[in-house]
Amino acid sequence: MEESDHVARRWEDLDIDILVKIFQSFDIVELTSGIATVCTSWRMACCDPLLWRTLDLSMMKSNFIKIPLEPYVYVDARSDKTLNHLLKTSLSLSQGNIMTLIFHFNLYVSDDLLTYTAERCPRLRRLVMPAWNRIKKTGICKAIRIWQDLESLTMPSIANPAYLLEEIANNCKNFSELKVMGPFDNFFAATIITYLPKVRVLSLRCSMLVKDTLISILDELRNLEVLNISHCLLIEIPPPPAPRRIMRELDQCILDKASRLREFLTCMKDSCIMCQRTRNDEGLMRWYKYEEGVWKADEVSSLSL
């Protein structure tokens, strides 16, 4: 009996769909490590839109030290070089198909790199912002003008949110979700009420929140459907000379106002580890102290990473 001829198939001859399925199991570092340069078919597979709906850089943190002058951080050159290579390679392979972009809160992206990124993923719908320190007003505003399809933003708190939210209001007509990580005061609330009155989902989890600010949100954001104040440090400030106090439970006034919402997510339990951490950090969560990735959680499923 004669042996049948056996013809071995070469890797580059694999069906593109099979290659894409294989590459879907790779992380971002592996995808950008040079496999796209192996051959034409591998590059075609590496550029498939299925691989680039989400660009998740949440595992990347800058190597930095704090300094007394603006931008108040010095980022190691090697750290910047690594980010530049990975991000620019990803943007090249994605061919404009990225719809969700996730940065780590301790990643210090330069103004120029943010603009470069915006120009190469104009269809972005969801953004999780990096740290603000090296991003200027002109840079983020230029990016928002490009991201006209933006629907959801997770951002570190910012001292002057007005220019950012006004830019979103003017350019992002489908914007509906906002998550703020950090201090949230009356001014921030008033800015949202002014520029984003139609926002439907708002998460303030693990922040310091004044009772009057919460009431303003519930009264003024009439289109709001979902509000997450889980693990917040809720403060009541009575007229002087009475001292401010930490609220241990929500009063009936707040519950009545929140009853119109589809979801009102709260947690103020003494036994809750996240509530304990918010209190210990006095409403300004020091996420770097805790488990890696815990900052990405959210009780609102559409905001959880």
Side-chain angles (χ1 to χ4, degrees):
M1 185 173 180
E2 295 182 4
E3 293 185 7
S4 59
D5 293 335
H6 177 71
V7 179
R9 293 187 65 186
R10 298 179 300 175
W11 276 98
E12 59 265 35
D13 294 332
L14 275 178
D15 186 85
I16 295 294
D17 291 339
I18 295 176
L19 284 170
V20 171
K21 191 70 175 177
I22 294 170
F23 293 164
Q24 281 181 308
S25 67
F26 290 11
D27 63 28
I28 188 64
V29 175
E30 293 167 332
L31 272 177
T32 57
S33 63
I35 60 174
T37 63
V38 170
C39 61
T40 302
S41 60
W42 281 39
R43 182 167 184 84
M44 288 176 62
C46 282
C47 294
D48 192 283
L50 284 174
L51 300 176
W52 297 106
R53 288 174 180 166
T54 297
L55 177 56
D56 186 353
L57 301 179
S58 62
M59 73 296 184
M60 290 199 69
K61 296 181 284 186
S62 296
N63 184 19
F64 70 96
I65 58 172
K66 294 183 178 181
I67 58 176
L69 302 175
E70 287 191 17
Y72 305 113
V73 291
Y74 170 79
V75 179
D76 175 65
R78 188 182 305 173
S79 181
D80 265 348
K81 185 178 180 181
T82 300
L83 173 62
N84 269 269
H85 170 73
L86 193 148
L87 186 52
K88 289 184 177 181
T89 302
S90 298
L91 293 170
S92 174
L93 294 173
S94 70
Q95 298 184 344
N97 288 302
I98 295 170
M99 294 188 178
T100 298
L101 178 57
I102 303 170
F103 291 110
H104 193 282
F105 67 92
N106 258 351
L107 189 65
Y108 292 91
V109 177
S110 69
D111 212 42
D112 291 342
L113 190 57
L114 182 69
T115 300
Y116 181 94
T117 301
E119 291 170 344
R120 286 157 181 81
C121 52
R123 301 168 59 200
L124 198 70
R125 293 183 181 177
R126 183 182 184 190
L127 173 64
V128 178
M129 282 285 296
W132 283 108
N133 298 58
R134 301 169 75 191
I135 298 174
K136 300 181 178 66
K137 176 180 177 180
T138 51
I140 186 59
C141 287
K142 183 176 181 179
I144 294 298
R145 291 184 202 115
I146 295 171
W147 288 326
Q148 296 191 6
D149 293 332
L150 192 68
E151 299 173 2
S152 175
L153 175 65
T154 296
M155 57 177 282
S157 189
I158 184 174
N160 179 20
Y163 70 84
L164 173 63
L165 301 191
E166 182 178 12
E167 207 67 55
I168 292 173
N170 291 337
N171 293 280
C172 310
K173 302 308 178 185
N174 296 320
F175 190 84
S176 61
E177 289 187 339
L178 178 63
K179 177 176 179 177
V180 181
M181 297 176 61
F184 188 86
D185 56 15
N186 285 325
F187 177 65
F188 209 134
T191 306
I192 293 176
I193 292 166
T194 299
Y195 294 110
L196 300 177
K198 295 182 179 180
V199 69
R200 295 198 300 271
V201 178
L202 179 62
S203 179
L204 308 173
R205 72 186 307 268
C206 301
S207 301
M208 180 186 289
L209 184 60
V210 174
K211 177 184 175 181
D212 288 345
T213 302
L214 176 57
I215 290 174
S216 294
I217 292 169
L218 293 170
D219 283 343
E220 303 297 333
L221 293 178
R222 302 308 302 173
N223 290 281
L224 195 64
E225 298 175 10
V226 179
L227 176 60
N228 185 11
I229 60 166
S230 299
H231 324 301
C232 279
L233 184 65
L234 192 58
I235 304 295
E236 183 174 23
I237 305 179
R244 70 179 191 173
R245 70 177 186 89
I246 297 175
M247 296 178 64
R248 296 292 180 176
E249 60 182 6
L250 297 173
D251 60 29
Q252 194 58 45
C253 170
I254 293 174
L255 294 174
D256 289 343
K257 291 176 182 293
S259 63
R260 66 175 179 84
L261 300 176
R262 177 164 54 84
E263 286 187 88
F264 182 44
L265 301 163
T266 69
C267 180
M268 304 173 71
K269 300 175 183 176
D270 289 336
S271 59
C272 172
I273 185 66
M274 293 307 297
C275 289
Q276 293 172 16
R277 288 171 173 177
T278 306
R279 290 172 193 155
N280 291 339
D281 289 344
E282 299 180 333
L284 180 57
M285 286 293 282
R286 293 164 176 83
W287 294 105
Y288 61 85
K289 297 194 307 184
Y290 306 120
E291 306 94 307
E292 184 59 44
V294 69
W295 65 275
K296 297 192 285 186
D298 200 287
E299 290 71 21
V300 180
S301 58
S302 61
L303 289 172
S304 187
L305 302 176

